[in-house]
Amino acid sequence: MIDEIEIQAVTGPVVGEIRPPGSKSITNRALICAALADGESELLGALDSEDTRVMIEGLRALGVKVVVDDGGQTIQVVGCNGKLPAKKADIFVGNSGTTIRFLTAAVTLGCGEYRLDGIERMRERPIGDLVATLNQIGADVRCEGQGNCPPVLVKADGLRGGMATISGNISSQFLSGLLMAVPYAAEDVTLRVESTLVSVPYVEMTLKVMESFGVVASANANFSEIQIPCTAKYRACKYAIEPDASAASYFWALAAITGGRVTVQGLTAKSLQGDVGFVHCLSQMGCELHFEKDAITVQGAPLRGIEIDMNAISDTVQTLAVVALFAEGKTKIRNVEHIRHKETDRISALATELRKLGAEVEEYRSGIDITPGTLVPAAIDTYKDHRMAMSFALAGCKIEGIVIRDPGCTAKTYPEFFSELKSLTATQK
């Protein structure tokens, strides 16, 4: 693995088109639904990355047949009809939050003992709220780590069902994992969400993927209560996965900071992914947007700082923070405290690295203020966080001498990121 990479700055506007790889979030949700379904499903346009590979290996450890083809973009899954074949499994999830949260819920449907663990950082990411809710509906799950963190031990004998409460302010993935598993409970399930639910678009995504596999849940307007019938089960299907909108944010941002024009193919305003809303952040900063039948284009323009609540699209906070370096005035990002529990404490990491580049930064528990300064070269630490690496690579497209340390961390969701960024910017140097 390369220890670091220096980003080559461009001298003019970046103009081009790109189609990012498949959505990690949709790929891992579709894998869970397909694995529990009755029959053989085919997933098209899937993402091949560390996070999807550990999910696939986890399903295989549970006895589910998964065949990967076409460089990881086509996946055949032979579903188990809600009955996991393996009676015992030790599952390694790396640092994949979706994998441990989705599989912790799914393995409660089995009959046996399952243990899920990951890297050191995963052992610092709380999962207690999910564990507590599963136990309310008949599971036997406990955290072996300190502070309600992994490893997680599940002694499974199916789910009873009924009513349960879950906290919504740490991660929407807890709720998504529950939603995908509970159609196979013995009774209908009603989930009541306490506190404000973060990242609502990801829960909407989960429900839409479930619908594609034949299970329809009902939710009230603010997702404080969701009901899932035990009579509906997943049916195998052919399922197409759209490009990753979080990955697309880097290329839209590239257009913004260089005054260029970048088109991302395969995404529209009606995408399943809430992160397409990132383009509206850029619009507020001054960019022009063009929506087409199967693409979204951002046209760069002089940028101005904004104040914005990014709770719903928090995976793009780091992208916007780097764009803020090139805006006129202060940018204030609010209501994103939950990103402190991601691959790293993303608010703290952003503050540290933005200051290296010359920005004035004020850090809050649930947000960050960024005032551009005289920008200078720096070596950027990435904290084993793929989004830190990809976001700060954008700064290197405008500032000479930006070095990204541990660039290989992007393999988590976008292994080809640096080569595709280089290809897109090659003619603008």
Side-chain angles (χ1 to χ4, degrees):
M1 298 293 289
I2 299 173
D3 291 336
E4 58 184 36
I5 185 172
E6 182 171 349
I7 307 300
Q8 299 302 307
V10 301
T11 58
V14 174
V15 178
E17 298 183 355
I18 192 165
R19 185 184 180 97
S23 163
K24 177 205 78 173
S25 299
I26 298 177
T27 299
N28 273 355
R29 283 164 172 79
L31 281 166
I32 290 289
C33 293
L36 295 176
D38 182 14
E40 183 173 344
S41 296
E42 184 176 35
L43 311 183
L44 305 172
L47 173 66
D48 179 32
S49 72
E50 285 183 5
D51 273 19
T52 55
R53 288 173 189 169
V54 294
M55 175 65 85
I56 289 169
E57 290 307 313
L59 292 173
R60 287 172 173 164
L62 294 170
V64 177
K65 183 179 179 181
V66 183
V67 179
V68 178
D69 199 2
D70 191 26
Q73 294 185 59
T74 301
I75 306 173
Q76 278 86 31
V77 183
V78 180
C80 65
N81 197 20
K83 300 175 183 177
L84 297 174
K87 305 299 183 186
K88 184 179 180 65
D90 287 305
I91 299 172
F92 178 74
V93 302
N95 196 20
S96 174
T98 57
T99 302
I100 195 166
R101 291 155 184 173
F102 295 176
L103 286 182
T104 294
V107 299
T108 63
L109 303 173
C111 182
E113 186 170 296
Y114 311 95
R115 188 173 184 271
L116 300 93
D117 197 6
I119 67 169
E120 182 179 352
R121 173 59 181 169
M122 181 56 72
R123 292 185 169 192
E124 298 172 350
R125 300 175 69 177
I127 196 171
D129 287 333
L130 173 60
V131 168
T133 304
L134 287 167
N135 289 339
Q136 288 177 48
I137 54 175
D140 181 357
V141 188
R142 65 182 177 90
C143 298
E144 295 184 329
Q146 296 182 347
N148 288 320
C149 293
V152 177
L153 181 66
V154 181
K155 296 181 179 179
D157 191 23
L159 289 176
R160 179 187 65 248
M163 184 174 293
T165 59
I166 186 168
S167 177
N169 63 350
I170 299 296
S171 174
S172 64
Q173 291 174 3
F174 296 163
L175 180 55
S176 288
L178 282 161
L179 288 170
M180 289 186 287
V182 296
Y184 292 90
E187 305 170 9
D188 294 349
V189 173
T190 299
L191 296 173
R192 290 182 174 171
V193 181
E194 297 180 331
S195 66
T196 301
L197 177 62
V198 299
S199 303
V200 168
Y202 283 92
V203 175
E204 294 175 323
M205 176 198 299
T206 301
L207 294 175
K208 289 175 181 175
V209 174
M210 290 169 62
E211 285 181 18
S212 295
F213 283 84
V215 173
V216 178
S218 58
N220 60 7
N222 64 355
F223 292 96
S224 61
E225 184 171 299
I226 307 175
Q227 297 177 326
I228 308 94
C230 64
T231 52
K233 309 300 181 188
Y234 297 125
R235 298 187 302 270
C237 67
K238 181 177 288 189
Y239 187 81
I241 295 165
E242 61 192 29
D244 195 296
S246 305
S249 74
Y250 308 117
F251 302 108
W252 286 322
L254 183 63
I257 67 176
T258 66
R261 182 183 179 93
V262 174
T263 298
V264 174
Q265 301 286 351
L267 291 172
T268 71
K270 295 182 179 180
S271 168
L272 287 184
Q273 300 167 80
D275 282 354
V276 295
F278 177 76
V279 297
H280 297 294
C281 302
L282 297 179
S283 176
Q284 290 182 50
M285 298 182 85
C287 295
E288 295 180 13
L289 309 181
H290 301 275
F291 294 92
E292 302 163 43
K293 184 178 179 180
D294 193 38
I296 301 175
T297 299
V298 170
Q299 172 69 59
L303 300 170
R304 56 181 176 269
I306 58 173
E307 181 169 357
I308 189 163
D309 183 328
M310 295 190 73
N311 183 278
I313 55 171
S314 59
D315 275 351
T316 63
V317 166
Q318 290 138 297
T319 319
L320 193 75
V322 171
V323 173
L325 293 171
F326 306 98
E328 181 71 26
K330 182 182 293 187
T331 293
K332 302 178 180 181
I333 299 173
R334 297 288 181 263
N335 199 18
V336 291
E337 180 177 350
H338 59 287
I339 71 172
R340 291 186 180 275
H341 304 286
K342 296 284 190 174
E343 283 78 354
T344 187
D345 179 337
R346 286 180 169 169
I347 294 177
S348 178
L350 271 174
T352 299
E353 302 309 311
L354 290 169
R355 288 178 182 130
K356 286 183 182 179
L357 297 176
E360 179 183 325
V361 181
E362 297 174 80
E363 177 185 346
Y364 306 95
R365 185 65 201 165
S366 61
I368 190 169
D369 291 353
I370 303 148
T371 303
T374 301
L375 299 177
V376 297
I380 301 298
D381 290 301
T382 53
Y383 307 83
K384 295 184 172 63
D385 185 343
H386 55 134
R387 301 206 185 281
M388 288 294 291
M390 292 185 280
S391 297
F392 278 88
L394 301 176
C397 293
K398 285 286 289 182
I399 308 169
E400 294 280 359
I402 298 298
V403 171
I404 304 296
R405 292 173 173 157
D406 186 25
C409 67
T410 60
K412 179 175 170 64
T413 57
Y414 199 163
E416 303 302 321
F417 172 76
F418 285 103
S419 63
E420 295 194 5
L421 177 66
K422 184 177 180 180
S423 178
L424 188 61
T425 58
T427 59
Q428 277 71 44
K429 294 193 173 63

